[in-house]
Amino acid sequence: AQSVAQPEDQVNVAEGNPLTVKCTYSVSGNPYLFWYVQYPNRGLQFLLKYITGDNLVKGSYGFEAEFNKSQTSFHLKKPSALVSDSALYFCAVRESYNTDKLIFGTGTRLQVFP
Amino acid sequence: EAGVVQSPRYKIIEKKQPVAFWCNPISGHNTLYWYLQNLGQGPELLIRYENEEAVDDSQLPKDRFSAERLKGVDSTLKIQPAELGDSAVYLCASSPDSISRTDTQYFGPGTRLTVL
């Protein structure tokens, strides 16, 4: 079965420093991977996705993610964190067969300190 | 362009009462999803519609949950009767067409249900 793991419940980083939010996946077949961000009392906002092609995917708000097939990882990164990036981040994988539902990780709370 | 609209945003009811949530997807999006998000967890799919047809409802607890999308546009999710464990956020999402399986799902703000 398809799954994603977000090994860190929380990531703390100082404003201006680079940030990484980790995600590993387990799929059979081609992985279709997504990152979403959730601010308090709001729905999920799409950040970026990997379907095929370049392993470095650029998304919204300066975020990017690196797809690594050998390590089955899809880590979210940003060169310089902002306090406003503080939120809950979800990695998700879409099943490439059977159904089209998204399988989400448990989420990682990012806290950026000024 | 308007995003996915959901109402109400918040709902507090007593157990055993019925409750309904409404969702209007992004214009032109044929696929609509209802997700359940428990506190501290990622969303889990309840049901997926292609136009007016429910094509995946395997995770919907059919003894108390029902959903409809009669005209293939907006949708309603109902719980009757509600139980304490139903307290969660109910998210609606839409995508243009799920056939490609690469389309992005866009989420609404959710309805936070509290069952007392």
mmCIF file of all heavy atoms in Angstrom, chain A residues 19-20 24 26 28 31 33 37 44 46-48 50 53-54 59-61 65 78 89 100 106:
data_model
loop_
_atom_site.group_PDB
_atom_site.id
_atom_site.type_symbol
_atom_site.label_atom_id
_atom_site.label_comp_id
_atom_site.label_asym_id
_atom_site.label_seq_id
_atom_site.Cartn_x
_atom_site.Cartn_y
_atom_site.Cartn_z
ATOM 1 N N LEU A 19 15.451 26.000 5.689
ATOM 2 C CA LEU A 19 14.615 25.019 6.358
ATOM 3 C C LEU A 19 14.446 23.786 5.490
ATOM 4 O O LEU A 19 14.474 23.861 4.251
ATOM 5 C CB LEU A 19 13.254 25.606 6.723
ATOM 6 C CG LEU A 19 12.265 25.922 5.598
ATOM 7 C CD1 LEU A 19 11.410 24.716 5.240
ATOM 8 C CD2 LEU A 19 11.373 27.090 5.991
ATOM 9 N N THR A 20 14.279 22.653 6.165
ATOM 10 C CA THR A 20 13.978 21.388 5.495
ATOM 11 C C THR A 20 12.909 20.667 6.283
ATOM 12 O O THR A 20 13.039 20.516 7.502
ATOM 13 C CB THR A 20 15.221 20.484 5.391
ATOM 14 O OG1 THR A 20 16.225 21.139 4.623
ATOM 15 C CG2 THR A 20 14.870 19.156 4.720
ATOM 16 N N THR A 24 9.362 10.845 3.468
ATOM 17 C CA THR A 24 9.745 9.649 2.727
ATOM 18 C C THR A 24 8.480 8.935 2.286
ATOM 19 O O THR A 24 7.428 9.078 2.908
ATOM 20 C CB THR A 24 10.611 8.701 3.563
ATOM 21 O OG1 THR A 24 9.897 8.315 4.735
ATOM 22 C CG2 THR A 24 11.923 9.369 3.956
ATOM 23 N N SER A 26 6.544 5.385 0.229
ATOM 24 C CA SER A 26 6.577 3.979 -0.157
ATOM 25 C C SER A 26 5.443 3.760 -1.150
ATOM 26 O O SER A 26 4.268 3.919 -0.807
ATOM 27 C CB SER A 26 6.387 3.074 1.066
ATOM 28 O OG SER A 26 6.277 1.713 0.671
ATOM 29 N N SER A 28 4.281 1.530 -4.991
ATOM 30 C CA SER A 28 4.575 0.590 -6.065
ATOM 31 C C SER A 28 4.235 1.316 -7.356
ATOM 32 O O SER A 28 3.144 1.840 -7.500
ATOM 33 C CB SER A 28 3.755 -0.689 -5.922
ATOM 34 O OG SER A 28 2.393 -0.392 -5.797
ATOM 35 N N PRO A 31 5.730 7.338 -8.337
ATOM 36 C CA PRO A 31 5.156 8.161 -7.276
ATOM 37 C C PRO A 31 4.718 9.522 -7.791
ATOM 38 O O PRO A 31 5.435 10.167 -8.551
ATOM 39 C CB PRO A 31 6.320 8.318 -6.298
ATOM 40 C CG PRO A 31 7.532 8.270 -7.169
ATOM 41 C CD PRO A 31 7.211 7.373 -8.334
ATOM 42 N N LEU A 33 3.848 12.914 -5.997
ATOM 43 C CA LEU A 33 4.049 13.443 -4.650
ATOM 44 C C LEU A 33 3.650 14.910 -4.569
ATOM 45 O O LEU A 33 3.869 15.670 -5.516
ATOM 46 C CB LEU A 33 5.517 13.272 -4.244
ATOM 47 C CG LEU A 33 5.990 11.821 -4.164
ATOM 48 C CD1 LEU A 33 7.491 11.738 -4.285
ATOM 49 C CD2 LEU A 33 5.513 11.188 -2.863
ATOM 50 N N VAL A 37 0.346 23.036 2.635
ATOM 51 C CA VAL A 37 0.539 23.764 3.879
ATOM 52 C C VAL A 37 -0.826 24.122 4.440
ATOM 53 O O VAL A 37 -1.767 24.405 3.694
ATOM 54 C CB VAL A 37 1.401 25.034 3.670
ATOM 55 C CG1 VAL A 37 0.761 25.997 2.685
ATOM 56 C CG2 VAL A 37 1.651 25.739 5.007
ATOM 57 N N LEU A 44 -6.166 23.220 3.380
ATOM 58 C CA LEU A 44 -4.839 22.960 2.860
ATOM 59 C C LEU A 44 -4.589 23.769 1.592
ATOM 60 O O LEU A 44 -5.445 23.830 0.716
ATOM 61 C CB LEU A 44 -4.670 21.475 2.536
ATOM 62 C CG LEU A 44 -4.332 20.556 3.708
ATOM 63 C CD1 LEU A 44 -5.523 20.399 4.627
ATOM 64 C CD2 LEU A 44 -3.867 19.202 3.192
ATOM 65 N N PHE A 46 -2.096 24.170 -1.689
ATOM 66 C CA PHE A 46 -1.140 23.452 -2.517
ATOM 67 C C PHE A 46 0.154 24.241 -2.632
ATOM 68 O O PHE A 46 0.151 25.454 -2.896
ATOM 69 C CB PHE A 46 -1.754 23.220 -3.892
ATOM 70 C CG PHE A 46 -0.796 22.725 -4.924
ATOM 71 C CD1 PHE A 46 -0.328 21.431 -4.883
ATOM 72 C CD2 PHE A 46 -0.366 23.556 -5.956
ATOM 73 C CE1 PHE A 46 0.550 20.970 -5.849
ATOM 74 C CE2 PHE A 46 0.508 23.106 -6.916
ATOM 75 C CZ PHE A 46 0.978 21.814 -6.874
ATOM 76 N N LEU A 47 1.292 23.562 -2.435
ATOM 77 C CA LEU A 47 2.601 24.197 -2.587
ATOM 78 C C LEU A 47 3.295 23.768 -3.872
ATOM 79 O O LEU A 47 3.783 24.605 -4.634
ATOM 80 C CB LEU A 47 3.504 23.846 -1.401
ATOM 81 C CG LEU A 47 3.272 24.592 -0.099
ATOM 82 C CD1 LEU A 47 4.231 24.062 0.960
ATOM 83 C CD2 LEU A 47 3.453 26.092 -0.285
ATOM 84 N N LEU A 48 3.393 22.458 -4.069
ATOM 85 C CA LEU A 48 4.099 21.948 -5.241
ATOM 86 C C LEU A 48 3.823 20.458 -5.397
ATOM 87 O O LEU A 48 3.295 19.810 -4.488
ATOM 88 C CB LEU A 48 5.605 22.201 -5.121
ATOM 89 C CG LEU A 48 6.306 21.776 -3.833
ATOM 90 C CD1 LEU A 48 6.636 20.303 -3.823
ATOM 91 C CD2 LEU A 48 7.594 22.587 -3.628
ATOM 92 N N TYR A 50 5.417 16.707 -7.560
ATOM 93 C CA TYR A 50 6.334 16.002 -8.455
ATOM 94 C C TYR A 50 5.541 14.949 -9.201
ATOM 95 O O TYR A 50 4.893 14.090 -8.584
ATOM 96 C CB TYR A 50 7.474 15.344 -7.678
ATOM 97 C CG TYR A 50 8.305 14.456 -8.558
ATOM 98 C CD1 TYR A 50 9.327 14.999 -9.342
ATOM 99 C CD2 TYR A 50 8.061 13.092 -8.657
ATOM 100 C CE1 TYR A 50 10.083 14.196 -10.187
ATOM 101 C CE2 TYR A 50 8.802 12.287 -9.497
ATOM 102 C CZ TYR A 50 9.814 12.837 -10.256
ATOM 103 O OH TYR A 50 10.543 12.042 -11.098
ATOM 104 N N GLY A 53 10.106 14.072 -14.407
ATOM 105 C CA GLY A 53 11.016 15.089 -14.910
ATOM 106 C C GLY A 53 12.064 15.501 -13.900
ATOM 107 O O GLY A 53 12.592 14.679 -13.149
ATOM 108 N N ASP A 54 12.337 16.803 -13.840
ATOM 109 C CA ASP A 54 13.388 17.346 -13.005
ATOM 110 C C ASP A 54 13.163 16.991 -11.545
ATOM 111 O O ASP A 54 12.046 17.150 -11.026
ATOM 112 C CB ASP A 54 13.419 18.864 -13.175
ATOM 113 C CG ASP A 54 14.704 19.474 -12.645
ATOM 114 O OD1 ASP A 54 15.449 18.766 -11.932
ATOM 115 O OD2 ASP A 54 14.947 20.650 -12.935
ATOM 116 N N GLY A 59 8.007 25.568 -6.177
ATOM 117 C CA GLY A 59 6.590 25.794 -5.909
ATOM 118 C C GLY A 59 6.312 27.206 -5.453
ATOM 119 O O GLY A 59 7.071 28.124 -5.718
ATOM 120 N N SER A 60 5.216 27.321 -4.728
ATOM 121 C CA SER A 60 4.754 28.624 -4.265
ATOM 122 C C SER A 60 5.577 29.123 -3.076
ATOM 123 O O SER A 60 6.161 28.331 -2.338
ATOM 124 C CB SER A 60 3.284 28.537 -3.863
ATOM 125 O OG SER A 60 2.488 28.001 -4.892
ATOM 126 N N TYR A 61 5.566 30.458 -2.919
ATOM 127 C CA TYR A 61 6.138 31.121 -1.736
ATOM 128 C C TYR A 61 7.619 30.814 -1.538
ATOM 129 O O TYR A 61 8.113 30.848 -0.408
ATOM 130 C CB TYR A 61 5.355 30.748 -0.473
ATOM 131 C CG TYR A 61 3.860 30.835 -0.620
ATOM 132 C CD1 TYR A 61 3.047 29.713 -0.429
ATOM 133 C CD2 TYR A 61 3.235 32.025 -0.979
ATOM 134 C CE1 TYR A 61 1.684 29.785 -0.585
ATOM 135 C CE2 TYR A 61 1.863 32.106 -1.144
ATOM 136 C CZ TYR A 61 1.098 30.972 -0.933
ATOM 137 O OH TYR A 61 -0.267 31.042 -1.086
ATOM 138 N N ALA A 65 11.194 21.394 -3.568
ATOM 139 C CA ALA A 65 11.314 20.049 -3.010
ATOM 140 C C ALA A 65 12.196 19.227 -3.928
ATOM 141 O O ALA A 65 12.175 19.384 -5.151
ATOM 142 C CB ALA A 65 9.949 19.391 -2.854
ATOM 143 N N LYS A 78 13.454 25.435 1.789
ATOM 144 C CA LYS A 78 13.375 26.851 1.478
ATOM 145 C C LYS A 78 14.692 27.471 1.903
ATOM 146 O O LYS A 78 15.156 27.227 3.025
ATOM 147 C CB LYS A 78 12.195 27.520 2.185
ATOM 148 C CG LYS A 78 11.975 28.958 1.745
ATOM 149 C CD LYS A 78 10.703 29.533 2.354
ATOM 150 C CE LYS A 78 10.461 30.949 1.842
ATOM 151 N NZ LYS A 78 9.235 31.558 2.431
ATOM 152 N N TYR A 89 2.684 21.416 7.761
ATOM 153 C CA TYR A 89 3.015 20.996 6.405
ATOM 154 C C TYR A 89 2.728 19.501 6.245
ATOM 155 O O TYR A 89 3.124 18.685 7.073
ATOM 156 C CB TYR A 89 4.481 21.285 6.089
ATOM 157 C CG TYR A 89 4.737 22.763 5.964
ATOM 158 C CD1 TYR A 89 4.901 23.559 7.093
ATOM 159 C CD2 TYR A 89 4.789 23.380 4.712
ATOM 160 C CE1 TYR A 89 5.106 24.921 6.990
ATOM 161 C CE2 TYR A 89 4.995 24.747 4.596
ATOM 162 C CZ TYR A 89 5.143 25.506 5.739
ATOM 163 O OH TYR A 89 5.342 26.857 5.628
ATOM 164 N N ASP A 100 -7.758 7.527 -6.871
ATOM 165 C CA ASP A 100 -7.021 8.774 -7.015
ATOM 166 C C ASP A 100 -6.892 9.512 -5.698
ATOM 167 O O ASP A 100 -6.523 10.668 -5.684
ATOM 168 C CB ASP A 100 -7.747 9.678 -8.023
ATOM 169 C CG ASP A 100 -7.836 9.004 -9.372
ATOM 170 O OD1 ASP A 100 -6.854 8.362 -9.763
ATOM 171 O OD2 ASP A 100 -8.900 9.107 -10.004
ATOM 172 N N THR A 106 1.388 12.510 8.511
ATOM 173 C CA THR A 106 0.788 13.008 9.753
ATOM 174 C C THR A 106 1.045 14.485 9.976
ATOM 175 O O THR A 106 0.523 15.071 10.915
ATOM 176 C CB THR A 106 1.296 12.215 10.954
ATOM 177 O OG1 THR A 106 2.725 12.197 10.920
ATOM 178 C CG2 THR A 106 0.773 10.781 10.917
#
